[in-house]
């Protein structure tokens, strides 16, 4: 019996149960994926759930907002990827130790490869956990990066963490000087139910020839993707990344390599 689950708050609208229950069925394994809503600051519950991974009562857990950074303190070991990013999204047990890993970075690169080649330069909107995973992944491939956040000190903090990354503020004046091959939205702007939000200002033209990758995966076409396509740019949402990071986590928990198309099919029926 494979017992999996998700720590976060809120968790009730998560697509992870669909992905992992589909993966369980596709692999022929018997199991369940449970939701563990853990209130921000409830460290006792985090410690207890990580203990259940260490004792193998749970085969593995995903971690989402707001616990991706806090959970790092309570695991026995971080993988080099999770340590470099400064966030975990996947927990599992190896040699009686609770390990914290991060599959967002490899998941992003895997899906990006389907969309475009790793560009020479990228511009990242947002400075949270997902932005750090994206920056880590692209820096490791030699991409030069500019990052912008609505709180400039957060962008500056991210730039200090990753040498070679340049921080700017998220103002129209600063954004109109951006010249890049790839714009990446790593903010929740445009995510259901905030369908009208867009991290790139409506009044501003996109840099010529840039492609747009929006990490937001619900709805199937975000405002940012719609505007970029209308301007003649190639653009995609992050649904493929969501599938990749889940498939990589499932492989860490079970050793099973799940067919991405099967997961994509299942999850496409749930986004609207
Ligand atoms: P996070 O740690 O909370 O960081 C969010 C960042 O976006 C922060 O810099 C935040 O600024 C900024 N922000 C929030 N709302 C904004 C708005 N309306 N306009 C401009 N900036 C805004 O969240 P995260 O974990 O990085 O996740 C970010 C997004 O990526 C979420 O929508 C998440 O679902 C998505 N994501 C997708 C995948 C995938 O597989 N496709 C994987 C991971 C994450 P403040 O600090 O000022 O609040």
């Amino acid at each position: 019996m494979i017992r999996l689950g998700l720590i976060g708050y809120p968790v009730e609208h998560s697509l992870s149960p669909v992905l992992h229950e589909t993966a369980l069925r596709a692999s022929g394994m018997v199991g369940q994926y449970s939701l563990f809503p853990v209130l921000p600051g409830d460290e006792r519950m985090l410690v207890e759930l990580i203990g259940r991974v260490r004792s193998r009562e749970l085969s593995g857990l995903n971690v989402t907002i707001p616990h991706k950074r806090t959970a790092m303190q309570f695991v026995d070991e971080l993988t080099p990827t999770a340590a470099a990013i400064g966030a975990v999204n996947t927990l599992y047990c190896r040699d009686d130790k609770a390990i914290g890993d991060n599959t967002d970075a490899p998941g992003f690169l895997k899906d990006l490869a389907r969309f475009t080649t790793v560009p020479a330069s990228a511009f990242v909107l947002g400075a949270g956990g997902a932005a750090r995973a994206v920056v880590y992944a692209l820096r490791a491939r030699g991409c030069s990066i500019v990052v912008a956040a609505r709180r400039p000190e957060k962008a500056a903090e991210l730039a200090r963490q990753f040498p070679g990354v340049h921080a700017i503020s998220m103002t129209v004046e600063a954004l109109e000087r951006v010249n890049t091959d790839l714009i990446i939205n790593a903010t929740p702007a445009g995510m259901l139910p905030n369908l009208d939000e867009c991290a790139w200002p409506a009044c501003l033209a996109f840099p010529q020839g840039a492609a747009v990758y929006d990490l937001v995966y619900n709805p199937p076409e975000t405002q940012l993707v719609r505007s970029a396509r209308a301007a003649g740019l190639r653009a995609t949402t992050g649904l493929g990344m969501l599938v990749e990071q889940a498939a990589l986590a499932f492989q860490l928990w079970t050793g099973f390599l799940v067919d991405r198309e099967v997961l994509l099919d299942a999850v496409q029926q749930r986004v609207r």
Side-chain angles (χ1 to χ4, degrees):
M1 176 74 171
I2 312 280
R3 286 195 177 84
L4 305 168
L6 171 67
I7 299 175
Y9 197 87
V11 284
E12 64 267 23
H13 298 301
S14 169
L15 294 172
S16 292
V18 176
L19 286 164
H20 292 292
E21 280 159 12
T22 303
L24 283 165
R25 271 195 305 280
S27 63
M29 292 178 201
V30 178
Q32 64 189 38
Y33 189 95
S34 310
L35 296 175
F36 298 107
V38 176
L39 285 167
D42 189 350
E43 296 188 347
R44 202 180 55 80
M45 185 61 105
L46 271 184
V47 169
E48 190 202 312
L49 285 164
I50 293 171
R52 288 167 69 183
V53 172
R54 190 182 294 109
S55 68
R56 295 183 189 272
E57 185 194 327
L58 295 169
S59 310
L61 288 173
N62 283 133
V63 183
T64 189
I65 295 171
H67 301 300
K68 282 184 168 183
R69 274 177 92 73
T70 327
M72 290 172 63
Q73 302 165 40
F74 305 118
V75 298
D76 303 317
E77 247 175 60
L78 293 170
T79 61
T81 304
I85 294 169
V88 297
N89 78 334
T90 303
L91 306 175
Y92 53 88
C93 182
R94 291 284 183 278
D95 302 328
D96 299 325
K97 288 183 183 150
I99 312 289
D101 202 347
N102 190 311
T103 64
D104 281 338
F108 166 73
L109 274 186
K110 231 15 208 316
D111 191 52
L112 183 71
R114 242 178 253 122
F115 177 60
T116 183
T117 50
V118 173
S121 70
F123 174 66
V124 178
L125 289 153
R132 285 200 305 278
V134 163
V135 168
Y136 167 80
L138 290 174
R139 283 300 292 151
R141 295 293 184 281
C143 179
S144 95
I145 298 172
V146 174
V147 63
R150 62 183 176 181
R151 285 190 288 162
E153 69 275 17
K154 286 286 167 194
E157 191 183 317
L158 189 153
R160 275 196 300 278
Q161 186 184 341
F162 297 98
V165 173
H166 181 61
I168 63 169
S169 56
M170 207 188 245
T171 59
V172 172
E173 296 71 35
L175 295 185
E176 70 188 347
R177 288 195 292 274
V178 168
N179 181 18
T180 187
D181 302 318
L182 180 66
I183 296 173
I184 298 159
N185 175 40
T187 80
M191 185 82 166
L192 198 82
N194 303 313
L195 298 177
D196 296 334
E197 280 187 4
C198 182
W200 187 266
C203 60
L204 202 62
F206 290 103
Q208 247 191 345
V212 173
Y213 191 105
D214 192 347
L215 259 64
V216 171
Y217 48 79
N218 200 1
E221 188 180 58
T222 58
Q223 182 57 52
L224 174 63
V225 167
R226 194 174 311 117
S227 305
R229 287 177 179 157
L233 271 52
R234 292 190 63 234
T236 184
T237 69
L239 197 63
M241 172 181 169
L242 185 77
V243 163
E244 283 297 339
Q245 61 77 31
L248 291 168
F250 193 79
Q251 195 177 351
L252 286 165
W253 297 329
T254 66
F256 188 84
L257 197 67
V258 64
D259 183 342
R260 274 43 173 184
E261 289 304 318
V262 173
L263 296 186
L264 192 62
D265 259 10
V267 89
Q268 264 168 345
Q269 294 170 27
R270 300 296 179 104
V271 296
R272 62 208 145 84

